[in-house]
Amino acid sequence: MQKLSEYKMFGGRQLRYQHESDVLDCAMRFSVYLPTAVERHPVPVLYWLSGLTCTDENFVIKAGAQQFAEKYQIALVAPDTSPRGEGVADDPDGSWDFGLGAGFYLNATQAPFDRHYQMYDYVVDELRALINRSFPVEPEKTAISGHSMGGHGALTIALKNPDIYRSVSAFSPICSPMHCPWGQKALTGYLGKDVSQWRQYDAAALIRQAKTKLPMRVDQGSADEFLVEQLKPELLWQAAADAGFELDFRMQTGYDHSYFFIASFIEEHIGFHARYLDS
Amino acid sequence: MQKLSEYKMFGGRQLRYQHESDVLDCAMRFSVYLPTAVERHPVPVLYWLSGLTCTDENFVIKAGAQQFAEKYQIALVAPDTSPRGEGVADDPDGSWDFGLGAGFYLNATQAPFDRHYQMYDYVVDELRALINRSFPVEPEKTAISGHSMGGHGALTIALKNPDIYRSVSAFSPICSPMHCPWGQKALTGYLGKDVSQWRQYDAAALIRQAKTKLPMRVDQGSADEFLVEQLKPELLWQAAADAGFELDFRMQTGYDHSYFFIASFIEEHIGFHARYLDS
């Protein structure tokens, strides 16, 4: 693991690293904010999964999250959104919603994507293990959040691993990739045409099956340009209501899909996680 | 004046405009954050001047300032850092510290820069008049801040116009462009070799002559890579001490020159201005 940069911020440290990922079979970069308390004791850790086209840096630069990570003394980890590098397959059409920058936090089974696109295992297992052994964090106090494709990632990962993640939140998540163009394109490309394979990565489907409930908050902007066609939060509400799953959903009037929306409510999300992380 | 974008943020609005500048003889872009109170009454206004290579967007995206503009109900205005466009002269060497993105907030007298590079008049007169007549702001409650080259701009502009600006602050300013390589290059290129013409744009020189004092705060990171060679805050301290000018200067241990530093202390700067803007 090689440190690429370090900046002091709000008293703590904003760090960026590169490491060789066995799971993804390529070099990966990630960012970590460590609050000041790590000098004295380990702290809880919140993972942030970014959306389409992002790297680990968008959240670090645009969300204004570090001040609240410092306030609540929580470490923030931001991975990249797909495998990267010379040999990594991309969408042959060069689109921005599939391939590089669009890993959808799943394990691909279809060639040529199955070699590198194993973002689910990377986030849940490999990166988490690396963080837990490399930084002063409390592994039993882990939470996850994300935006858009990363909101989908956070919801699905937490729903499948309520033993690992104490709480989950999302901004403008793709709530049911099985039922929107972004998701159908990605699920077909990474998993093939057998729809039965898609359910394991669909938050609305997973919430109906969830045996263990965990605290879940979702914020959605009402002026989001992707709301109706791609995000479909109504499918998440309905599934949560049917399953008796307590979902704290907020429709935020007039906000769009941008990081300006995220910045406006990131304090509330980190505060939400802090309650369940005892921080 | 044409609106380019509008985002809801912290309840208020983050706006971007383009207009034809007579002073600069080119089209210019600027950003404005309007807090929620503008729906009911005019608010004070804080100008932010950015550093070398920036546009109006860096501050908007990276500083995390809007939440505190909303907290204190102050409008934020961020201009670009130089004239722009096809016919605007640039450094023939294509460097990043002179010409485009490096207007130094002065009025150039040397061809070919004198035609467009009139950033002092643009910020103090033309843009301010445009803001005052276009948005619900209180013209008598105006303050100014900035970073690096923009810190130099804020300090010199406020020192020359204490009747216009109630307070001034700066992050990592170029404190005496007459005495550093960035400044000497720019002052020579824009004003010629006559050093007597340089003093009017040198904060350390101006503070010695200031007849009217105004509240001034400066934050500087001790790990700033430009501190010793380019920024030279000791020249500002000394001048302030000699002139009996009360300068609230903070050396912030371990911080560098980046927006991560600005984000860490922007709340304190906006709070500082809020005291003098009665907001």
Side-chain angles (χ1 to χ4, degrees):
Chain A
M1 198 170 76
Q2 178 197 353
K3 183 156 68 176
L4 301 176
S5 63
E6 173 170 348
Y7 297 93
K8 190 168 179 181
M9 195 175 189
F10 295 103
R13 286 178 292 157
Q14 181 63 54
L15 303 155
R16 193 173 192 216
Y17 289 89
Q18 180 163 313
H19 73 118
E20 292 299 320
S21 164
D22 292 336
V23 167
L24 302 179
D25 194 17
C26 65
M28 290 294 285
R29 295 176 171 192
F30 65 88
S31 291
V32 182
Y33 178 78
L34 296 179
T36 50
V38 298
E39 307 299 331
R40 302 182 301 280
H41 56 74
V43 297
V45 55
L46 173 62
Y47 286 80
W48 173 270
L49 305 183
S50 285
L52 290 166
T53 78
C54 289
T55 69
D56 60 300
E57 290 195 290
N58 302 65
F59 177 71
V60 170
I61 292 170
K62 296 182 170 182
Q66 295 93 340
Q67 62 185 301
F68 306 114
E70 178 62 27
K71 174 180 175 182
Y72 292 108
Q73 294 297 325
I74 296 172
L76 294 178
V77 178
D80 204 344
T81 56
S82 77
R84 301 277 182 183
E86 278 298 312
V88 176
D90 194 8
D91 187 348
D93 298 335
S95 69
W96 53 269
D97 56 5
F98 183 72
L100 295 178
F104 272 84
Y105 306 102
L106 51 71
N107 294 332
T109 57
Q110 303 298 298
F113 300 102
D114 53 343
R115 177 169 166 203
H116 297 287
Y117 287 76
Q118 305 290 325
M119 286 297 290
Y120 177 88
D121 281 352
Y122 176 69
V123 169
V124 176
D125 295 330
E126 188 183 34
L127 178 62
R128 195 167 57 84
L130 179 66
I131 296 292
N132 288 345
R133 71 173 178 267
S134 306
F135 300 100
V137 297
E138 297 173 283
E140 76 285 7
K141 294 186 179 177
T142 299
I144 193 163
S145 184
H147 172 237
S148 195
M149 174 184 76
H152 141 77
L155 294 174
T156 53
I157 283 173
L159 284 163
K160 289 157 73 91
N161 299 282
D163 51 324
I164 296 176
Y165 303 94
R166 288 202 182 183
S167 50
V168 59
S169 76
F171 290 84
S172 336
I174 301 171
C175 291
S176 185
M178 296 175 69
H179 296 101
C180 72
W182 280 342
Q184 288 160 350
K185 179 177 178 179
L187 296 168
T188 304
Y190 293 130
L191 303 177
K193 293 182 176 167
D194 179 0
V195 175
S196 71
Q197 294 302 308
W198 296 7
R199 295 183 183 281
Q200 60 182 315
Y201 299 115
D202 187 287
L206 288 169
I207 210 167
R208 290 182 185 277
Q209 307 163 7
K211 294 203 176 64
T212 307
K213 297 177 173 63
L214 79 168
M216 181 182 289
R217 171 163 179 168
V218 174
D219 280 67
Q220 172 63 52
S222 72
D224 188 323
E225 56 272 41
F226 302 114
L227 174 57
V228 174
E229 187 183 8
Q230 303 283 9
L231 305 178
K232 299 185 187 287
E234 66 278 9
L235 299 181
L236 194 67
W237 302 330
Q238 291 162 6
D242 291 349
F245 198 109
E246 199 171 323
L247 164 65
D248 183 358
F249 181 92
R250 319 271 179 108
M251 183 62 81
Q252 303 287 4
T253 304
Y255 289 88
D256 70 359
H257 200 66
S258 72
Y259 264 90
F260 295 120
F261 170 50
I262 298 171
S264 299
F265 296 98
I266 193 70
E267 178 174 13
E268 292 186 34
H269 279 240
I270 295 179
F272 166 81
H273 290 290
R275 286 200 292 280
Y276 302 102
L277 296 170
D278 304 324
S279 70
Chain B
M1 197 171 76
Q2 179 197 353
K3 183 155 71 176
L4 301 176
S5 64
E6 173 171 348
Y7 297 93
K8 191 168 179 181
M9 194 175 190
F10 295 104
R13 286 178 291 157
Q14 181 62 55
L15 303 155
R16 193 175 192 214
Y17 290 89
Q18 180 164 313
H19 74 116
E20 291 299 321
S21 165
D22 293 334
V23 166
L24 302 179
D25 193 19
C26 65
M28 290 293 287
R29 294 177 171 190
F30 64 89
S31 290
V32 183
Y33 178 78
L34 295 179
T36 50
V38 299
E39 307 298 331
R40 302 182 301 281
H41 56 74
V43 297
V45 55
L46 173 61
Y47 286 80
W48 173 270
L49 305 183
S50 284
L52 291 166
T53 77
C54 289
T55 70
D56 59 301
E57 290 194 291
N58 301 65
F59 178 71
V60 170
I61 293 169
K62 295 181 171 182
Q66 294 94 340
Q67 62 185 300
F68 306 114
E70 178 62 26
K71 174 180 174 184
Y72 292 108
Q73 294 297 323
I74 296 172
L76 293 178
V77 178
D80 204 344
T81 56
S82 77
R84 301 277 181 182
E86 279 298 313
V88 176
D90 194 7
D91 187 347
D93 298 337
S95 68
W96 53 269
D97 57 4
F98 184 73
L100 294 177
F104 271 84
Y105 306 104
L106 50 72
N107 294 332
T109 58
Q110 303 298 298
F113 301 102
D114 54 341
R115 177 171 166 201
H116 297 287
Y117 287 77
Q118 305 291 324
M119 287 296 290
Y120 177 87
D121 281 353
Y122 175 69
V123 170
V124 176
D125 295 331
E126 188 182 33
L127 178 62
R128 195 167 57 84
L130 178 66
I131 296 294
N132 288 345
R133 72 173 178 265
S134 306
F135 300 101
V137 298
E138 298 172 281
E140 75 285 7
K141 295 185 179 177
T142 299
I144 193 163
S145 184
H147 172 238
S148 195
M149 176 185 74
H152 141 77
L155 294 174
T156 54
I157 283 173
L159 284 164
K160 289 155 72 90
N161 299 281
D163 52 323
I164 296 175
Y165 303 95
R166 287 201 183 186
S167 51
V168 59
S169 76
F171 290 84
S172 336
I174 302 171
C175 291
S176 185
M178 297 175 68
H179 296 102
C180 74
W182 280 343
Q184 289 160 351
K185 178 177 179 179
L187 295 169
T188 303
Y190 293 130
L191 303 177
K193 292 182 179 168
D194 178 0
V195 175
S196 71
Q197 294 300 309
W198 295 7
R199 293 183 183 281
Q200 60 182 314
Y201 299 115
D202 187 286
L206 288 169
I207 209 169
R208 291 182 185 277
Q209 307 162 9
K211 293 202 177 65
T212 307
K213 296 177 172 64
L214 79 168
M216 180 180 291
R217 172 163 178 168
V218 173
D219 280 67
Q220 172 63 53
S222 72
D224 188 322
E225 57 272 40
F226 302 114
L227 174 57
V228 175
E229 189 184 3
Q230 304 283 8
L231 306 178
K232 298 186 188 286
E234 66 279 8
L235 299 181
L236 194 68
W237 303 332
Q238 290 162 6
D242 291 348
F245 198 111
E246 199 171 322
L247 165 65
D248 183 358
F249 181 92
R250 320 270 180 109
M251 184 62 81
Q252 302 287 5
T253 304
Y255 289 89
D256 71 359
H257 199 67
S258 72
Y259 264 91
F260 295 120
F261 171 49
I262 298 171
S264 299
F265 296 97
I266 193 70
E267 178 174 15
E268 292 185 33
H269 279 239
I270 295 179
F272 166 82
H273 290 291
R275 287 200 294 281
Y276 303 101
L277 296 170
D278 303 325
S279 70

